[in-house]
């Protein structure tokens, strides 16, 4: 598609020195590509690109090479990706979603777990934006947390904290 070729060229040009007046060029191109096709960036080499301000929500980013990629003020809510995809990126204030599953039959204990989750999110470099739960008939709870992380280490820290909680049965980005 010739129109998407232009967008890919913009992303390629965002891999070289980016002048201040063009700082959003790569991010805007990535946003448009994902609006056209949620799988557009999956498995692609975006290493070293500046994707400032990109809206990559709900995009498939699995296997994408983000080595050295600047992800500043990027929306990754509901994006399909693996944590390892982001480890080598230069993340600055990215919004992500963390999904989890827990089992708790008593309503009072569920409320306590929500409070605990808010406290867990109170770590340097992480701002909890919102937490939502959906209960099933069998006492299970599915939830999502929207977070703003200042860097990739903050994401790693929050995942490590959540992983050791015995009441959280499973979680993923």
């Amino acid at each position: 598609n010739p129109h998407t070729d232009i967008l890919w060229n913009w992303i390629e040009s965002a891999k070289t020195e980016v002048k201040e007046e063009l700082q959003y060029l790569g991010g805007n191109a990535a946003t448009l590509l994902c609006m056209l096709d949620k799988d557009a960036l999956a498995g692609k080499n975006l290493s070293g690109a500046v994707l400032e301000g990109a809206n990559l929500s709900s995009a498939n980013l699995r296997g994408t090479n983000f080595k050295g990629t600047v992800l500043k003020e990027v929306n990754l809510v509901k994006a399909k990706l693996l944590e390892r995809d982001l480890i080598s990126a230069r993340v600055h204030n990215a919004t992500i979603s963390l999904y989890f599953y827990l089992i708790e039959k008593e309503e009072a204990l569920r409320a306590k777990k929500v409070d605990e989750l808010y406290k867990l999110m109170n770590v340097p470099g992480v701002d909890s934006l919102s937490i939502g739960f959906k209960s099933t008939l069998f006492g299970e709870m599915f939830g999502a947390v929207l977070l703003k992380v200042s860097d990739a280490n903050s994401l790693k820290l929050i995942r490590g904290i959540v992983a050791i909680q015995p009441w959280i049965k499973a979680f993923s980005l």
Side-chain angles (χ1 to χ4, degrees):
N1 188 335
H3 301 291
T4 59
D5 288 346
I6 293 169
L7 297 174
W8 283 110
N9 288 337
W10 289 354
I11 289 175
E12 283 301 314
S13 68
K15 290 183 178 183
T16 59
E17 186 177 328
V18 177
K19 297 176 183 173
E20 188 175 330
E21 61 269 12
L22 298 175
Q23 71 188 43
Y24 296 102
L25 182 65
N28 288 341
T31 298
L32 290 170
L33 284 167
C34 289
M35 291 175 93
L36 293 169
D37 178 4
K38 295 293 182 191
D39 295 322
L41 303 179
K44 298 293 193 269
N45 181 6
L46 300 178
S47 62
V50 176
L51 301 182
E52 188 167 347
N55 182 354
L56 307 178
S57 60
S58 300
N60 180 2
L61 303 173
R62 292 184 194 127
T64 302
N65 180 356
F66 286 112
K67 184 176 183 178
T69 302
V70 174
L71 298 174
K72 183 176 182 182
E73 300 293 336
V74 172
N75 183 348
L76 296 168
V77 173
K78 296 184 181 178
K80 297 173 186 164
L81 57 101
L82 303 172
E83 181 182 359
R84 70 173 180 249
D85 295 332
L86 291 181
I87 293 301
S88 61
R90 293 168 38 201
V91 178
H92 306 280
N93 297 323
T95 304
I96 63 159
S97 42
L98 177 71
Y99 301 95
F100 58 91
Y101 166 75
L102 61 97
I103 298 173
E104 188 54 69
K105 302 260 186 223
E106 295 183 42
E107 192 67 38
L109 290 176
R110 288 183 192 176
K112 186 177 178 185
K113 298 303 180 200
V114 172
D115 289 341
E116 283 184 47
L117 201 52
Y118 272 112
K119 289 176 187 169
L120 288 173
M121 300 301 157
N122 190 17
V123 297
V126 177
D127 292 322
S128 177
L129 301 178
S130 66
I131 299 176
F133 292 95
K134 181 173 180 158
S135 299
T136 68
L137 294 173
F138 304 105
E140 299 136 343
M141 291 180 74
F142 297 92
V145 181
L146 292 179
L147 301 169
K148 189 159 215 162
V149 295
S150 62
D151 55 38
N153 288 332
S154 301
L155 175 60
K156 200 171 178 181
L157 175 64
I158 203 70
R159 289 209 24 141
I161 290 170
V162 171
I164 62 171
Q165 302 309 310
W167 49 275
I168 295 180
K169 300 303 178 194
F171 66 95
S172 70
L173 282 176

